[in-house]
Amino acid sequence: MNQGIEPYLLVSGILFAIGFAGVVLRRNIIVIFMCLEMMLSAANLTLVAFSRHYATPLSTPDYQAHVLLFFIITVAAAEVAVVWPSLWRFSGPAAASTPIPFPR
């Protein structure tokens, strides 16, 4: 009943490819940040998949990858809570090629 790591890596690769294509092809800064979040989610999925795949069956589980995953999610949530509203407040729906004006 134990399946391999390949389906998780396939989904992770598809998520990362979609996120990378969004970063490269889109110009709206909000969409670029959302695609970066998708790429982080793909990296998190790969991290946990490898952690579970290489766990030893007779010992206690190793949750170091899961702890790192929660730190990555916390940083991503802080980015959403701090960076996105400040971008929207100061510049409106900005394109990636326009500079963001700083308040004086």
Side-chain angles (χ1 to χ4, degrees), residues 15-47:
L15 277 175
F16 195 87
I18 292 171
F20 183 74
V23 168
V24 171
L25 298 175
R26 303 296 290 191
R27 294 184 58 116
N28 189 345
I29 196 74
I30 301 298
V31 175
I32 290 173
F33 278 136
M34 287 178 11
C35 291
L36 284 172
E37 297 290 334
M38 190 180 300
M39 291 169 65
L40 273 175
S41 296
N44 287 337
L45 179 62
T46 303
L47 182 69

Side-chain angles (χ1 to χ4, degrees), residues 16-101:
F16 195 87
I18 292 171
F20 183 74
V23 168
V24 171
L25 298 175
R26 303 296 290 191
R27 294 184 58 116
N28 189 345
I29 196 74
I30 301 298
V31 175
I32 290 173
F33 278 136
M34 287 178 11
C35 291
L36 284 172
E37 297 290 334
M38 190 180 300
M39 291 169 65
L40 273 175
S41 296
N44 287 337
L45 179 62
T46 303
L47 182 69
V48 172
F50 276 114
S51 171
R52 299 298 288 171
H53 182 70
Y54 290 113
T56 56
L58 298 176
S59 65
T60 59
D62 186 17
Y63 291 115
Q64 291 178 354
H66 300 277
V67 172
L68 182 62
L69 172 114
F70 283 118
F71 280 116
I72 293 171
I73 290 174
T74 304
V75 168
E79 174 200 349
V80 169
V82 174
V83 174
W84 286 21
S86 63
L87 285 175
W88 189 266
R89 179 177 173 217
F90 294 128
S91 63
S97 61
T98 59
I100 298 172

